[in-house]
Amino acid sequence: MWRAFGQAVLRAGARRLARNARSHEKAAGAAWVARSGDVVAGAQPTEPVRARAIPIFDIETEFDGLGAHELTAMLGGKAAGLVRMRRDLGLPVPSGFVIGPELSLDCLANGWPASLDAEIDRYLERLEARAGSRLGDPDSPLLVSVRSGAIEMPGMMDTILDLGIGASTLDGLARRLGSERAAVECWLRFIRMYATSVLGLSPEELDEYPQRGDSASVLRAKVEGLLRYCEVRGAPIPEDFRCQLRQAIVAVFRSSDSARARAYRRREGLAGNAGTAVIVQTMVFGNAGPRSAAGVAFSRDPSTGERRNCGEFVMDGQGMDVVSGMRTTESLDAMAGVLPSAYDALVTALERLEHLYRDMCSVEFTVERGRLYLLQVRPARRSAQAAVRVAVDLCAHEAIAIGRDEALQRVSPQQMRRLSEGEVAVDATAVPDGTGEAASPGAVVGVACFDPDEVGKMRAAGLQPILMRRLTLPDDVHGIVHAAAIVTARGGIASHAAVVARSWGVPAVCGVSQLVFGETVSIGGRSVAPGDILTVDGRNGRVLLGDHAVTGAIAPPPIGFEDICRWSNEQARQNPGARPAAEPGPIVPGWRLAPDARR
């Protein structure tokens, strides 16, 4: 009965969602601000009881009759991916449930539904039964993650991991993980995420991040320090785990209308706040010892489009270490030597997912004590260079074999415009001052900028600002929007900076160990000041002080570019009244040097 009812609610919700999104957007902020104090304090809303459908669904439900597009419209891309991995391929996905995106707008506008707590408890009991543990149980505690299932906006929504850890459950988790240190580390991670996402404290206030060399006692001291700080700031973390879960769900709802989410939507040309689904899943632990890991993998190279599995991972860590750039990562190839069974399972899953999606895919994964779990799948964000190569390759793929019209749809007009304009050719003989991961291709000669708030001003003044950071945070997106290139001291090809840069065509070099931030900024031992001229070579992962563009040189076009141009022109001849989807106008294959990149 519930499945039939649920699918009916989902279908109706998907139709209403598009109609209601804009009208809800303005009311949402004000309505929620009025209630946010009560919610953070754990008080019950004062709204009258209303009969409201509660769209909550178990990701293990079969969703019979729902296709990929319907699932995505109804549940959000992330949740739909989880359902498809389990339902269509039988891949290992942690148990969980999804709160539909329409409810987030309803909650923001009208408050927490009176019946939502009981529904969450009902689905939580299912998770507990499958896991053989309970939320808040001192002996066998269940920990969960709370994530957004929104339309694809990498890193723009809040995430809370390790919910369920606290003083009363620490020993139970330590027994499960076989390590007191790992359990305390989970507690510290949870406090940081909860304090920033739910309680509204800024990340800069919370400098107590777990370090690889920290002992259990050092980590516990950091935990106690953060708990005291939250209390001093008047935002203590409640001890009731169900209250924490409710507040975490609210925080994810609220993040769909955050400043960074709005900035991202403006840059992407997306409509106003359409809300977000929330995914609550059983935690799996990549920090459970020497046979555990977490990472991000791609079925093809997201910078070049080459047909090879690539990505990065960390041993004995969690996925946030990878995407935030907080830890030095290893290449995915190295995983074959340390976790061979999990690596083989991952490679097989990537191939099957590429066939299912008929596209290049990326996954987030965790290995807990040798067993692989997949936490997310999506069509991979890719550079313009990769987009043309992948589109052409998939036309020739023996099993996928997309048509030429579909291949042209896979390359956006913006990407073709970017490629047809060409890029700066950099002197290959010049000795770089810093090297790192070639995270996003392209080359730029511009000026150094260290503050995301200043990037837009420099761009408005006609400069080409190169945003240089220790690492980029989602809150830096307003600066990335206007950056001509990005250079980070930490992070790799799966970090927030790299993912966003590739999708926006911004050259990026990440993990530049020679880039040092102290009282001053230096790279390769040479001082860098705001406004200094730099050359960023995102194709080869090089950063050079000064202008190293080769005058009159022509950078080679990416593989597949001429094929897309030819197919696009053929399409235009066959349909003279319609502009080909892949091009902004007539394209003549050719690669020319960009104008002076400093202005």
Side-chain angles (χ1 to χ4, degrees):
M1 179 185 74
W2 268 100
R3 189 168 76 184
F5 168 74
Q7 291 186 5
V9 171
L10 277 175
R11 292 178 190 276
R15 291 192 296 269
R16 290 197 302 271
L17 189 57
R19 294 198 304 267
N20 293 346
R22 291 186 179 179
S23 61
H24 275 305
E25 183 178 13
K26 292 184 179 179
W32 192 255
V33 166
R35 293 181 172 88
S36 60
D38 288 340
V39 172
V40 170
Q44 297 294 321
T46 57
E47 59 163 340
V49 175
R50 287 172 287 150
R52 294 156 69 182
I54 306 298
I56 305 183
F57 304 96
D58 192 325
I59 63 173
E60 295 190 26
T61 301
E62 292 181 2
F63 292 97
D64 291 337
L66 295 184
H69 294 296
E70 266 186 314
L71 280 172
T72 300
M74 296 170 184
L75 300 179
K78 290 183 184 178
L82 297 176
V83 171
R84 297 186 73 193
M85 283 196 289
R86 289 191 68 107
R87 181 192 70 179
D88 300 342
L89 299 180
L91 294 174
V93 175
S95 295
F97 61 87
V98 184
I99 302 174
E102 187 179 12
L103 188 61
S104 72
L105 294 175
D106 193 8
C107 282
L108 292 174
N110 301 309
W112 187 268
S115 58
L116 184 51
D117 286 321
E119 284 299 295
I120 289 175
D121 284 346
R122 197 162 68 86
Y123 280 85
L124 187 60
E125 287 172 3
R126 295 186 185 184
L127 293 191
E128 292 173 335
R130 290 172 186 151
S133 55
R134 292 185 299 111
L135 188 70
D137 185 337
D139 297 319
S140 182
L142 173 71
L143 271 64
V144 298
S145 62
V146 184
R147 307 172 190 262
S148 164
I151 187 170
E152 197 54 55
M153 295 199 295
M156 298 303 109
M157 302 289 195
D158 286 336
T159 294
I160 297 94
L161 304 180
D162 300 309
L163 194 151
I165 181 64
S168 63
T169 58
L170 180 64
D171 291 343
L173 181 62
R175 284 192 294 272
R176 173 185 167 177
L177 299 181
S179 166
E180 179 190 5
R181 186 198 178 281
V184 181
E185 181 184 290
C186 289
W187 195 5
L188 181 58
R189 290 174 187 273
F190 166 72
I191 293 170
R192 285 181 56 86
M193 292 184 185
Y194 194 88
T196 54
S197 298
V198 178
L199 305 180
L201 303 183
S202 69
E204 290 75 14
E205 296 178 75
L206 310 174
D207 57 355
E208 301 293 356
Y209 195 84
Q211 302 297 326
R212 290 288 291 160
D214 289 347
S215 65
S217 60
V218 170
L219 290 172
R220 189 183 285 267
K222 290 182 176 183
V223 164
E224 292 169 353
L226 283 183
L227 289 173
R228 284 195 300 270
Y229 183 77
C230 290
E231 290 181 358
V232 169
R233 287 293 313 274
I237 297 177
E239 297 180 3
D240 185 324
F241 294 115
R242 276 174 164 72
C243 179
Q244 291 179 7
L245 178 58
R246 175 177 172 165
Q247 292 180 8
I249 291 169
V250 166
V252 176
F253 283 165
R254 199 168 49 208
S255 69
S256 69
D257 200 38
S258 65
R260 63 178 181 267
R262 291 195 299 270
Y264 189 92
R265 284 196 294 267
R266 284 195 299 270
R267 173 60 178 77
E268 289 283 287
L270 299 173
N273 184 17
T276 179
V278 172
I279 304 166
V280 179
Q281 275 183 290
T282 302
M283 279 292 301
V284 287
F285 298 95
N287 60 333
R291 295 181 59 243
S292 301
V296 176
F298 302 86
S299 63
R300 296 171 187 250
D301 189 313
S303 292
T304 67
E306 180 184 355
R307 189 176 178 180
R308 68 182 184 91
N309 297 311
C310 67
E312 54 193 12
F313 75 106
V314 292
M315 292 295 295
D316 197 17
Q318 291 190 347
M320 194 59 68
D321 296 329
V322 177
V323 298
S324 69
M326 291 299 298
R327 274 185 57 184
T328 301
T329 59
E330 297 181 66
S331 170
L332 189 69
D333 294 337
M335 185 175 159
V338 292
L339 294 167
S341 296
Y343 176 80
D344 290 344
L346 177 61
V347 168
T348 299
L350 284 170
E351 182 177 3
R352 295 180 69 197
L353 286 166
E354 184 164 288
H355 281 70
L356 178 67
Y357 277 80
R358 303 176 71 248
D359 199 358
M360 169 187 170
C361 290
S362 68
V363 299
E364 292 184 16
F365 67 89
T366 290
V367 180
E368 182 178 335
R369 294 175 177 170
R371 182 178 179 185
L372 174 71
Y373 295 91
L374 301 179
L375 309 181
Q376 178 176 299
V377 61
R378 63 187 177 200
R381 294 275 170 157
R382 67 204 71 175
S383 69
Q385 289 86 337
V388 296
R389 183 170 182 176
V390 171
V392 172
D393 280 358
L394 290 180
C395 273
H397 194 285
E398 59 278 7
I400 299 174
I402 65 174
R404 290 186 177 183
D405 287 349
E406 186 173 354
L408 293 176
Q409 293 286 346
R410 299 282 182 93
V411 184
S412 73
Q414 293 81 5
Q415 288 171 326
M416 288 303 290
R417 183 180 300 112
R418 205 174 295 141
L419 293 174
S420 65
E421 288 175 352
E423 67 180 60
V424 173
V426 179
D427 182 359
T429 65
V431 178
D433 295 283
T435 58
E437 293 277 356
S440 180
V444 166
V445 177
V447 295
C449 179
F450 309 135
D451 185 349
D453 294 338
E454 296 299 315
V455 175
K457 300 175 185 176
M458 296 177 75
R459 193 71 162 193
L463 300 172
Q464 293 279 70
I466 297 173
L467 180 60
M468 307 181 75
R469 301 282 279 169
R470 181 177 287 106
L471 54 85
T472 60
L473 300 171
D475 286 338
D476 294 338
V477 67
H478 64 291
I480 297 175
V481 163
H482 300 292
I486 300 169
V487 178
T488 65
R490 304 174 75 168
I493 64 171
S495 64
H496 290 308
V499 172
V500 174
R502 276 194 301 272
S503 63
W504 289 349
V506 179
V509 181
C510 296
V512 179
S513 60
Q514 300 88 351
L515 179 59
V516 178
F517 288 83
E519 292 184 4
T520 60
V521 179
S522 64
I523 184 167
R526 301 172 64 184
S527 179
V528 184
D532 284 355
I533 296 175
L534 294 167
T535 302
V536 176
D537 179 2
R539 182 189 295 262
N540 298 297
R542 303 191 303 156
V543 183
L544 308 95
L545 286 170
D547 184 343
H548 293 273
V550 180
T551 303
I554 299 175
I559 296 173
F561 178 72
E562 293 185 358
D563 292 304
I564 292 291
C565 289
R566 186 176 67 256
W567 297 348
S568 184
N569 290 332
E570 289 173 0
Q571 187 187 70
R573 286 194 297 271
Q574 294 168 4
N575 301 281
R579 172 168 291 176
E583 57 175 321
I587 291 178
V588 178
W591 211 240
R592 64 178 182 274
L593 189 68
D596 186 350
R598 286 167 289 179
R599 282 196 172 272

